[in-house]
Amino acid sequence: MSNDLGAFLSARRALVTPRQAGIPDVGVRRVPGLRREEVAMLAGVSADYYLRLERGRDRNPSVQVLESIARVLQLDDEHLTYLLQLVADTPRKRRRRPRKETVPAGALKLLGSLVQPAFIEGRYFDILASNSLARALSPSLAEGGNQLRDLFLNPAEQALHPDWENITECFVANLRQAVGTDIDDPRFIELTGELSLASARFRQLWARHEVRGQRGTPIRLNHPQVGELTLNRERLGIAGADGLMLVVFHADAGSSDAEKLTLLAAAGLSAVSEPRAVQPAKT
């Protein structure tokens, strides 16, 4: 039987130093972060009880206990919500086949009308539809691609992102939030299995159990034809399509970045001339 609660607590405990927790750092530490007994002491529970939680022997802790542990582990609201979901009473529904993600016709019409680079992504960052300017920005944004796979396994896509390490950290944290406790989804199993085998960077980030939603934020790109540019990225939920997002890149009005986008649109330039690479560069 899987022990998602224990894995989460252990991973987050390893990220909090004694100094951050406000206790003396004494003795030789064989593992990073806090010891189990230190978490228990600071949370006001017995060491034996906390051990049972991490080892999956007690799967029904109270909200008060979890909130106390969350305070010690310095979890923010998103991580606390995820923690509470791990012990929710709602049983999981095992899916026998992947859930088909269908883009509503209205969303496709909207996508086609946009003059900014835009695409529609699924729950696990699959590209379900995109416009021509998005594909000019990056060929990996073509329908049928997957942003996570390209970020970790496609050298051309990695070269497009000067802030590759921060970008990958953000995507993995958002994947953790998106899946929640629904780890029986075949698409999730397929994707995380492939990335875990092929990328040490993904394995490292996945083991941290970071949980964070993506927000509107500036993204730096190093485009091989128009050079470096910074675009604002907005993710908008699509009504009636659970988990689907319309992602739009836009430049600040009157900026050199806006001029580069105009050039890219007019010239129909492509981010790379050769076929998409499949061998990993960074891991």
Side-chain angles (χ1 to χ4, degrees), residues 101-118:
E101 295 182 309
T102 303
V103 181
L108 287 175
K109 291 180 181 179
L110 173 61
L111 176 66
S113 71
L114 294 175
V115 297
Q116 300 90 356

Side-chain angles (χ1 to χ4, degrees), residues 62-102:
S62 68
V63 172
Q64 290 78 11
V65 165
L66 291 178
E67 288 178 340
S68 294
I69 292 174
R71 173 180 49 78
V72 175
L73 300 182
Q74 302 181 12
L75 303 183
D76 58 21
D77 290 343
E78 288 178 310
H79 285 85
L80 174 58
T81 298
Y82 179 80
L83 174 61
L84 296 175
Q85 289 175 345
L86 291 177
V87 296
D89 294 331
T90 304
R92 292 181 188 156
K93 296 180 180 178
R94 179 176 293 275
R95 292 191 178 96
R96 297 184 179 180
R97 63 183 65 180
R99 179 177 58 182
K100 183 174 177 59
E101 295 182 309
T102 303

Side-chain angles (χ1 to χ4, degrees), residues 35-74:
R35 300 185 178 101
R36 292 189 185 95
E37 57 269 24
E38 291 170 336
V39 175
M41 175 191 68
L42 293 170
V45 299
S46 72
D48 179 66
Y49 180 70
Y50 182 79
L51 178 62
R52 294 203 306 273
L53 287 179
E54 276 208 7
R55 292 186 174 176
R57 296 174 184 168
D58 190 322
R59 297 175 180 269
N60 296 290
S62 68
V63 172
Q64 290 78 11
V65 165
L66 291 178
E67 288 178 340
S68 294
I69 292 174
R71 173 180 49 78
V72 175
L73 300 182
Q74 302 181 12

